[in-house]
Amino acid sequence: MIKGNSKIVSLAEGIAKSDRRSLARAITLIESTRLDHREDADTLLEKILPQSGNSIRIGISGVPGVGKSTFIESFGMYLISQGHRVAVLAIDPSSQRTGGSILGDKTRMELLSRQEAAFIRPSPASGTLGGVARRTREAMLLCEAAGFDVILVETVGVGQSETAVSEMVDMFLLLLLPSGGDELQGIKKGIMELADMIVVNKADGDLKPAANRAAGEYHAALGLMRPSSPNWKPTVRKCSALHDEGIQEIWDVIKEFRTKLWASHEIQDKRVRQSVSWMWGEIRESLLVAFCDKPEIQSALNEMESEVTQGRLAPATAARKLLKLFSNA
Ligand SMILES: Nc1nc2c(ncn2[C@@H]2O[C@H](COP(=O)(O)OP(=O)(O)OP(=O)(O)O)[C@@H](O)[C@H]2O)c(=O)[nH]1
């Protein structure tokens, strides 16, 4: 117990001094599924919580190949040149299936990963989307406590993970390719609706005219949607991540977003809502785990399922019987 505590104290001190090794070790601790590690992680999070929150949290999404890592490298290097400290986290749904992460690995952002003012962490490699999102949120708090003032949370454009990311950030950026029309059809409307800014990447060379057209089409498409904030109309920008063009303009938009929505208290309110819904998500996840772990439930589950399958028991009745077993256990 004492040993555990002194470890936590030294981790917290390391984080407060922006020590990257302490930060990396702390994230490994919160990613652990061991019960004693979880308790240590909770103690650590409680300690660092007052130092968290001083950042702009930005979600970045886009289909594979749109240039996310090129963009994050270029954007991150620009931010560092402006005196910021940048943490890159990821939520990678594919890593849950394959056990390997395609996002946030260091080789994808070679230049950025060598910077003292950057911290890159791949997606937690296992667990449900809810579990992975939780650990990314916690990593975000730890990065903030370590003095990173811009947090980028990256995800692949496949749907559910975008929603998870949008629920933990202040602003959501959608990266798109310079091909309107067909692609526009392919993008789920729900994802477009999450975007506070659309960035058409690869606006360079032969792709420039297509990027202009695409930007116009996306602008028109956004115009048809009802903005989620009374103080912010989602906007479209073009850039070439490869040639570092348009990057400053994107940061200008982000700063404008932050200034406006901070003044209107929307960012603060959003963070409060996110925290409360995170708490409920945590309760749901933990209850389900506790439920499935109970031996009484495990031994009754098969029978109940087969009763439901064969139509002998209504699903709701089976659920209630199991819940009763759980609360009596
Ligand atoms: N012309 C041009 N090519 C770019 C630009 N940005 C990225 N690319 C190229 O697009 C390809 C994909 O870029 P990545 O940054 O790996 O894309 P990603 O979205 O991270 O892809 P995944 O790692 O598969 O998710 C690479 O060949 C890049 O060189 C750009 O601004 N202009």
Side-chain angles (χ1 to χ4, degrees), residues 17-323:
K17 285 189 225 139
S18 304
D19 171 44
R20 297 151 54 94
R21 275 191 55 205
S22 300
L23 177 58
R25 281 176 51 215
I27 296 180
T28 304
L29 177 69
I30 56 155
E31 286 178 353
S32 169
T33 47
R34 259 176 55 181
L35 205 60
D36 56 332
H37 285 170
R38 189 62 244 168
E39 283 168 14
D40 285 350
D42 285 339
T43 313
L44 177 63
L45 286 167
E46 220 177 302
K47 274 194 198 309
I48 61 94
L49 200 61
Q51 278 80 50
S52 69
N54 293 321
S55 79
I56 173 100
R57 303 166 176 173
I58 305 166
I60 297 179
S61 169
V63 293
V66 70
K68 287 182 298 300
S69 38
T70 312
F71 174 78
I72 291 174
E73 172 128 310
S74 170
F75 187 51
M77 290 303 290
Y78 170 75
L79 292 173
I80 289 172
S81 78
Q82 300 299 301
H84 294 286
R85 301 186 72 224
V86 184
V88 182
L89 306 172
I91 291 191
D92 178 359
S94 67
S95 68
Q96 291 146 48
R97 287 194 298 271
T98 62
S101 175
I102 59 165
L103 290 181
D105 52 348
K106 292 205 165 80
T107 50
R108 289 168 70 240
M109 299 163 212
E110 231 174 292
L111 190 57
L112 191 63
S113 65
R114 289 201 299 267
Q115 306 303 310
E116 187 56 39
F119 181 83
I120 301 177
R121 182 82 180 190
S123 177
S126 65
T128 58
L129 178 60
V132 168
R134 179 187 79 197
R135 295 199 290 269
T136 304
R137 274 177 202 276
E138 291 176 346
M140 183 164 79
L141 300 179
L142 292 169
C143 289
E144 288 175 346
F148 290 91
D149 64 334
V150 181
I151 313 281
L152 306 178
V153 186
E154 177 190 11
T155 194
V156 170
V158 288
Q160 266 189 325
S161 60
E162 266 86 0
T163 311
V165 170
S166 73
E167 284 166 359
M168 67 176 77
V169 296
D170 304 322
M171 184 176 189
F172 193 79
L173 257 65
L174 179 60
L175 254 59
L176 294 176
L177 288 164
S179 52
D182 289 342
E183 207 212 359
L184 192 56
Q185 310 293 315
I187 302 160
K188 293 194 188 74
K189 192 164 161 268
I191 293 178
M192 287 275 282
E193 279 168 354
L194 295 176
D196 298 300
M197 169 162 43
I198 283 180
V199 174
V200 179
N201 187 34
K202 307 196 184 185
D204 50 43
D206 293 349
L207 293 168
K208 249 187 189 163
N212 286 337
R213 262 197 316 277
E217 286 178 27
Y218 293 131
H219 181 77
L222 285 178
L224 299 175
M225 293 179 189
R226 207 160 55 92
S228 60
S229 155
N231 300 299
W232 186 257
K233 243 171 85 65
T235 179
V236 184
R237 289 293 181 279
K238 288 170 290 181
C239 80
S240 167
L242 198 59
H243 301 296
D244 301 320
E245 287 164 11
I247 300 297
Q248 184 190 330
E249 288 76 4
I250 291 168
W251 180 234
D252 288 343
V253 173
I254 295 172
K255 282 195 292 190
E256 188 192 340
F257 177 93
R258 180 177 54 182
T259 307
K260 280 192 176 156
L261 274 68
W262 194 267
S264 64
H265 225 267
E266 277 175 84
I267 290 183
Q268 299 89 319
D269 291 347
K270 191 179 194 175
R271 286 184 176 187
V272 169
R273 279 199 310 276
Q274 288 173 339
S275 293
V276 173
S277 106
W278 178 6
M279 184 190 82
W280 279 106
E282 197 66 38
I283 292 173
R284 272 193 296 276
E285 285 258 331
S286 305
L287 269 178
L288 202 58
V289 169
F291 179 83
C292 294
D293 278 354
K294 277 263 182 285
E296 291 85 344
I297 297 296
Q298 283 167 0
S299 56
L301 208 52
N302 275 348
E303 196 195 324
M304 287 292 172
E305 263 189 15
S306 89
E307 294 283 293
V308 170
T309 318
Q310 290 164 35
R312 287 200 292 264
L313 208 56
T317 315
R320 262 192 295 278
K321 277 179 187 272
L322 284 166
L323 283 169

